[in-house]
Amino acid sequence: MTTRRGLFLFFFVLALGLVWWRLFYTDKRTPTLPVEVPLAWLDENTLLTGERDTLFIRKDGEDRQTLLSLDEEEFSFGGFCISDANFWFATSRVARSYGGGISSTLSRKLQIPVVGWENGVPQLGYPIEQEWLDEPALPDCTVDLRANETTAFLRSSPTYQENRTIDIDGHLVKLYHATGNYARLFSGTLFLDQSPAGLIHLTGEQATRHVFPESYTSQLEIGRRLGWGELLWDAELSQALFVHNTCGPGQSGSDCRRKALWLTASLEPISDFEMPGDSLIEIKNGYTCFSCGCGCYSHEELYVMGGEVFLHIWGYPVENHARGVYRLKQSSTGPAWEKIISGRPQSPIAISPNGQQIAYFELSRLGDQFRIVRID
């Protein structure tokens, strides 16, 4: 009897352990569809979100209300632009052949005019289809064709087509695309400038150099990586933040450094500050980084809002305790990352204008959910 009871207790504890392991250590790799994506805070109490073919408004933390739905077409939330007068979204439509089979996927870009506002909620007009080459520009989402002029110039430039260089003031300068949300939406085309260190804004054939101050560039390590910095936009301050970054997953010490520089909207320098010199990504034992590197499935992304800097860490190979959202904290002992959200918030996250609310979709074996968290 004792043996049977002992065996029963052993298998019961083993079953509990397996359930615990499956729920709290192993991870879902994909969400249970559909996924509601946080898009933009229209003000401190009004959040725009999207899910497949529908845009929603979440007002004062209440349940979502439908703002706009498409017919047999879905939004692509990877790139969009929101302003007081226009919304821009890429969309996709699946074309089906006779018999129900999928023959192709058609894509287009929609300009959705804002015809008015009521209690902070936009009233949207009829969507207008635009050419793919028309790119909206910050901050008002109006079409700026100068980016097309730049593209045409680079395609016709023999030196650029041969080795990615162009002539600037009689010198061949190699162009490296700048990254970050402000770089992607900047009118024209923005590149990193290595010597002198700074940014190159290329409009057609006209190159404008924005040189970083010596107090900032003297401490940079340029050349370690092709993309040695990224440019972020703070919509609340109407300023840009350039972050020099030599960090890779799991790096720390001299191999990992971040130094930030505030810029005006026209890329003039304001002030710089230090960021923590370590990577928060920790890969679980038993996971490999695959041929494309750890960045395939483990990620860190910087955000800036209201003068505060946030870092989002996510990906299923990342250690459970490392995942989440962090806020940069300056103290007498130096800069540090303060964890403000744990769990598995998925990308993208949306930070309210005063930095006190963060919206995200959370992946969990206990149930995926859309969350809005208020930060003290």
Side-chain angles (χ1 to χ4, degrees):
M1 178 66 69
T2 303
T3 302
R4 289 182 178 179
R5 182 174 297 174
L7 286 174
F8 173 80
L9 183 61
F10 169 77
F11 284 111
F12 179 74
V13 172
L14 180 61
L16 285 179
L18 291 174
V19 170
W20 177 90
W21 176 273
R22 182 165 181 80
L23 286 178
F24 297 103
Y25 190 81
T26 61
D27 292 309
K28 296 172 62 178
R29 297 191 178 188
T30 57
T32 303
L33 296 177
V35 173
E36 184 177 359
V37 179
L39 300 175
W41 288 88
L42 305 181
D43 57 43
E44 192 59 35
N45 300 308
T46 309
L47 176 66
L48 176 71
T49 72
E51 183 181 291
R52 290 184 173 176
D53 59 355
T54 306
L55 298 178
F56 298 99
I57 286 290
R58 287 182 175 268
K59 190 75 173 175
D60 299 319
E62 297 179 356
D63 292 340
R64 66 188 188 182
Q65 303 294 322
T66 298
L67 183 64
L68 175 70
S69 291
L70 300 179
D71 185 22
E72 298 182 357
E73 193 169 7
E74 294 188 0
F75 289 102
S76 299
F77 298 122
F80 60 91
C81 192
I82 302 295
S83 75
D84 290 341
N86 291 288
F87 287 7
W88 284 80
F89 281 96
T91 65
S92 61
R93 179 191 298 268
V94 176
R96 300 183 181 275
S97 62
Y98 182 77
I102 297 177
S103 59
S104 63
T105 300
L106 306 178
S107 298
R108 62 177 182 160
K109 179 170 287 186
L110 295 182
Q111 175 189 4
I112 308 172
V114 178
V115 297
W117 291 79
E118 184 176 327
N119 193 27
V121 177
Q123 311 300 306
L124 302 181
Y126 190 80
I128 304 169
E129 184 174 1
Q130 299 286 347
E131 295 292 334
W132 272 107
L133 291 179
D134 294 344
E135 296 292 341
L138 276 175
D140 58 357
C141 299
T142 55
V143 175
D144 189 340
L145 297 180
R146 289 177 295 177
N148 298 338
E149 297 174 8
T150 304
T151 301
F153 163 66
L154 295 178
R155 287 177 176 173
S156 64
S157 170
T159 58
Y160 183 79
Q161 293 302 317
E162 181 179 346
N163 56 19
R164 293 296 187 265
T165 61
I166 64 169
D167 185 283
I168 300 180
D169 299 329
H171 301 280
L172 286 179
V173 178
K174 196 155 191 175
L175 299 181
Y176 300 99
H177 282 279
T179 60
N181 64 346
Y182 192 48
R184 290 194 299 269
L185 296 174
F186 201 86
S187 62
T189 307
L190 207 59
F191 299 89
L192 297 174
D193 196 358
Q194 292 193 346
S195 182
L199 296 165
I200 297 174
H201 181 204
L202 192 62
T203 304
E205 301 181 22
Q206 181 65 41
T208 302
R209 273 182 152 158
H210 301 272
V211 180
F212 294 156
E214 173 66 21
S215 60
Y216 181 73
T217 59
S218 61
Q219 304 175 56
L220 305 188
E221 296 183 38
I222 301 172
R224 297 173 61 87
R225 295 167 53 181
L226 290 181
W228 48 268
E230 58 182 310
L231 193 64
L232 308 173
W233 177 249
D234 190 327
E236 181 69 6
L237 296 185
S238 294
Q239 294 179 2
L241 184 69
F242 183 84
V243 180
H244 173 60
N245 184 9
T246 65
C247 297
Q251 288 184 333
S252 60
S254 60
D255 291 332
C256 175
R257 189 172 188 201
R258 292 188 178 99
K259 189 172 179 63
L261 174 65
W262 282 110
L263 303 166
T264 67
S266 57
L267 304 181
E268 298 302 319
I270 302 175
S271 61
D272 61 77
F273 60 91
E274 288 285 348
M275 297 174 65
D278 59 316
S279 172
L280 296 181
I281 291 181
E282 298 179 37
I283 306 298
K284 293 179 179 179
N285 293 331
Y287 284 91
T288 61
C289 288
F290 308 95
S291 60
C292 56
C294 292
C296 293
Y297 302 101
S298 57
H299 311 274
E300 61 178 19
E301 186 172 3
L302 287 168
Y303 291 80
V304 59
M305 182 62 71
E308 294 200 77
V309 181
F310 300 84
L311 182 65
H312 178 204
I313 304 292
W314 81 100
Y316 64 83
V318 179
E319 288 281 3
N320 295 17
H321 70 87
R323 299 177 184 146
V325 180
Y326 299 76
R327 178 172 51 192
L328 180 62
K329 182 179 181 180
Q330 300 285 356
S331 66
S332 58
T333 58
W337 292 115
E338 173 190 25
K339 194 169 190 179
I340 55 177
I341 294 177
S342 299
R344 295 191 65 189
Q346 300 300 290
S347 180
I349 64 174
I351 303 169
S352 66
N354 65 9
Q356 293 185 356
Q357 295 185 89
I358 298 180
Y360 58 91
F361 185 86
E362 184 170 45
L363 193 64
S364 172
R365 286 196 178 278
L366 299 179
D368 301 341
Q369 62 178 324
F370 186 88
R371 299 192 64 192
I372 298 176
V373 175
R374 179 170 291 276
I375 306 301
D376 294 331

